[in-house]
Amino acid sequence: MSVRVSLETRLTDMLGIEYPIFQGGMAYVALPALVGAVSNAGGLGILTGTSYTPEQLRDKIGEVRTLTNKPFAINFSPACPYLEANLDICIEEKILILTYGRGRHTTELIIDKVKPHGIVCIPVVGNVRQALRVGQEGADAVIVSGLEGGGHVSHVSTLALLPQVISKINIPVIATGGFGDGKGLAAALALGAEGIQMGTRFICTQESPVPLSIKQMMLRATSEDTIVSGKITGLRTRVLKNKLTEKLIDMEDRKVPISEFNRAAEGTGSKAFVDGDTEWGSVWCGQIAGMIEDIPTCKELIERMVDEARSTLEMARGLFIS
């Protein structure tokens, strides 16, 4: 009788989660209902914390706790205007895990402030140099983000970047960028990652707060319907093509001043993910859009992925002649 393939890793043991699947801390998307659903399904729900005042963050943490008693994380970007005060809230509320974008001074501030309180620190990086740096600074694990993902992206594909990072650091690595099913999870584990993070796939779930018009846009999309804009500012962002991207790419081609570009892009994330504007909103979306065909619950999605990952790894064993 075959033994069921285990998906337990150092990461699941460290965080007290059942499956090595993170939900990205996406602005406008990673709200309590989605966070609670992912954690209840055995993954790690991650609450976006960047735009909240300390009082608002405390309220959102309370909302998540009414939905789940499982571990969840808070995510911050380097642009968080209330970062120090919000870190105090995380300490007071005994948050277990933080994920965060790496920015100037941000990593040192977070690690120095929260690690003495037992909070697990997991930064997001986009290249080998950054991964080495955060490992030296004391990060407990690292999320390695490849070119295929939605939102802010690096210059290197996940497939090429992941093994380079894994070969050079000893802390657990979480792969993100290009994952949306169990086969992808199995592939990441085979490459040496100890978990994956998904953003785009969790947007298209029933508990996601994103308007149906945006979810349907993603269901219709192919992997060729995304484009990277924002190169002029250095904040490269993968989004679905629409009237807004046509305008922004034209502005980049004309090399308009960065201030003019920023004015045109300002508030467009909210237009998409709050208002449901498919043409003039910035629809952050990864290349895996082409493989999304339904809008399941988080529980259905995670259970399906886990079953597929196990069967894929088991099938891989059978490919070899004994």
Side-chain angles (χ1 to χ4, degrees):
M1 180 167 46
S2 63
V3 177
R4 189 175 74 158
V5 175
S6 171
L7 298 184
E8 294 179 4
T9 66
R10 284 187 298 173
L11 190 70
T12 58
D13 185 60
M14 175 194 296
L15 304 182
I17 59 178
E18 190 173 359
Y19 306 122
I21 300 172
F22 286 21
Q23 158 250 308
M26 302 162 282
Y28 310 113
V29 181
L31 303 185
L34 180 60
V35 174
V38 172
S39 289
N40 282 334
L44 183 72
I46 301 179
L47 177 71
T48 179
T50 297
S51 61
Y52 296 132
T53 65
E55 295 78 15
Q56 290 171 332
L57 180 60
R58 195 189 301 274
D59 288 344
K60 294 298 179 184
I61 291 170
E63 286 183 43
V64 174
R65 284 179 169 154
T66 66
L67 299 170
T68 185
N69 60 3
K70 302 287 184 65
F72 66 94
I74 310 291
N75 173 265
F76 294 109
S77 83
C80 177
Y82 314 102
L83 183 57
E84 288 199 60
N86 280 349
L87 292 176
D88 287 332
I89 295 296
C90 291
I91 292 168
E92 292 170 16
E93 292 293 329
K94 301 188 185 324
I95 293 300
L96 301 175
I97 308 149
L98 293 184
T99 68
Y100 49 93
R102 189 178 182 280
R104 189 178 181 187
H105 307 311
T106 303
T107 300
E108 292 177 6
L109 168 63
I110 290 176
I111 287 180
D112 289 348
K113 191 175 184 73
V114 308
K115 277 203 74 169
H117 297 274
I119 297 176
V120 176
C121 296
I122 309 179
V124 182
V125 302
N127 59 48
V128 175
R129 175 180 50 81
Q130 291 174 350
L132 290 171
R133 177 70 181 273
V134 299
Q136 294 166 355
E137 290 171 344
D140 297 290
V142 62
I143 299 169
V144 174
S145 180
L147 174 65
E148 301 95 323
H152 297 315
V153 294
S154 68
H155 293 267
V156 184
S157 75
T158 306
L159 184 63
L161 179 59
L162 191 57
Q164 294 181 58
V165 171
I166 291 169
S167 69
K168 291 179 171 60
I169 61 175
N170 294 318
I171 56 177
V173 172
I174 301 97
T176 189
F179 298 100
D181 64 2
K183 291 179 181 177
L185 172 57
L189 296 175
L191 285 168
E194 299 191 41
I196 62 170
Q197 177 172 285
M198 302 190 304
T200 302
R201 190 61 190 91
F202 277 120
I203 290 174
C204 288
T205 58
Q206 291 185 23
E207 294 89 351
S208 161
V210 173
L212 183 59
S213 58
I214 299 298
K215 294 178 183 179
Q216 290 174 334
M217 184 182 184
M218 290 185 176
L219 288 177
R220 292 192 300 268
T222 72
S223 57
E224 297 179 355
D225 288 332
T226 69
I227 193 168
V228 177
S229 68
K231 295 183 284 291
I232 193 172
T233 68
L235 291 174
R236 297 155 39 85
T237 306
R238 186 176 296 284
V239 293
L240 284 177
K241 297 174 185 176
N242 58 11
K243 290 179 180 177
L244 174 66
T245 62
E246 290 178 9
K247 176 180 178 180
L248 295 180
I249 295 299
D250 174 67
M251 294 176 76
E252 289 183 331
D253 290 343
R254 291 188 288 109
K255 296 181 170 54
V256 303
I258 291 177
S259 58
E260 183 180 338
F261 182 92
N262 285 339
R263 281 195 299 272
E266 186 176 3
T268 54
S270 175
K271 269 188 180 177
F273 292 102
V274 177
D275 301 335
D277 190 333
T278 59
E279 289 296 347
W280 294 103
S282 185
V283 185
W284 311 317
C285 182
Q287 291 179 320
I288 62 133
M291 62 193 291
I292 298 176
E293 298 179 343
D294 62 354
I295 306 176
T297 67
C298 291
K299 179 177 174 61
E300 289 168 344
L301 174 61
I302 289 176
E303 288 181 349
R304 185 167 74 197
M305 287 182 60
V306 167
D307 288 344
E308 185 178 38
R310 285 181 171 142
S311 63
T312 299
L313 291 168
E314 190 64 43
M315 179 189 69
R317 289 177 179 174
L319 293 175
F320 302 98
I321 300 172
S322 60

